[in-house]
Amino acid sequence: MSTATTPHFMPLTTSTAPDSSKLILVEITKANGSISNLMATLANSPAALEGYRALETVWENGSFAPRERQLILLTASAENRGSYCTAVHSTILETALRTPAEIAFAIRQNIPVPDTKFNAVVTLIKELVRGRGYARQKTIQNFIAAGYRKEQVMELLVGIALKTISNYLDHLSPVPVDEAFAAESK
């Protein structure tokens, strides 16, 4: 297995990005006030940037609550060993969503999450990522018994797909962790 140590793709700006990416980067800047290094790196490929943003919008409009979405994204990132996204989603959970730090810590350390409902979703995500889409029926039953709906199992695949794109990009070309997320990248 080859791991990239030197970035193949550098983060771009609205002045250095391909024309098709420039418009998307301008939209991101208007919405967020800045462009994350992930989006700036995805800008190297207008199709990758546009696809990622479209999938991200679908994910954000799904049925999971904001904290659950971040738990799912953090778990997929930790399982995929995506350093950039693990730092980002840990920071969002702890800072923006005021989630106890031990929850993100448990996910990063691969130990049970100290909340039954959250642990059910984290366990299912781990199995799906590790098993490349396969999970034990017992794990799915535990997820549903914890209060989730059966169709949400399929929705989890959207979050996993989203993180697979960004985590694999980070593997191919390490994305510099933005200063806002640096404390969680250690």
Side-chain angles (χ1 to χ4, degrees):
M1 178 194 318
S2 172
T3 56
T5 55
T6 304
H8 296 288
F9 305 102
M10 299 305 297
L12 301 177
T13 65
T14 52
S15 56
T16 61
D19 289 341
S20 299
S21 291
K22 286 179 185 181
L23 296 172
I24 300 170
L25 293 179
V26 168
E27 289 173 15
I28 292 169
T29 303
K30 285 180 185 175
N32 302 326
S34 63
I35 302 167
S36 71
N37 284 333
L38 176 64
M39 295 300 165
T41 304
L42 282 167
N44 283 275
S45 166
L49 179 60
E50 186 175 346
Y52 189 85
R53 295 273 296 159
L55 191 57
E56 186 177 54
T57 299
V58 169
W59 175 247
E60 291 295 321
N61 291 321
S63 66
F64 289 102
R67 183 173 283 153
E68 292 168 324
R69 285 195 307 268
Q70 291 302 317
L71 286 169
I72 293 161
L73 298 178
L74 172 58
T75 304
S77 296
E79 284 300 309
N80 282 328
R81 295 188 313 250
S83 302
Y84 179 90
C85 292
T86 297
V88 169
H89 298 297
S90 293
T91 301
I92 293 170
L93 270 170
E94 294 172 13
T95 307
L97 298 174
R98 299 181 183 185
T99 305
E102 61 263 14
I103 291 179
F105 178 81
I107 293 168
R108 290 190 313 266
Q109 297 301 311
N110 197 28
I111 58 178
V113 174
D115 176 285
T116 306
K117 188 171 185 182
F118 290 162
N119 197 58
V121 71
V122 166
T123 300
L124 181 52
I125 290 294
K126 287 178 182 181
E127 280 194 27
L128 288 167
V129 172
R130 288 178 189 164
R132 298 179 192 261
Y134 291 98
R136 296 176 299 166
Q137 285 304 308
K138 178 72 173 157
T139 306
I140 294 169
Q141 290 167 351
N142 288 342
F143 173 80
I144 294 166
Y148 294 104
R149 296 185 320 277
K150 181 173 72 171
E151 60 273 11
Q152 285 181 301
V153 173
M154 288 193 298
E155 191 176 330
L156 292 173
L157 302 178
V158 177
I160 292 169
L162 184 66
K163 288 298 95 184
T164 300
I165 293 168
S166 55
N167 296 160
Y168 284 16
L169 172 61
D170 194 34
H171 295 173
L172 288 170
S173 185
V175 178
V177 176
D178 305 89
E179 191 172 319
F181 312 119
E184 292 292 339
S185 68
K186 311 251 179 311

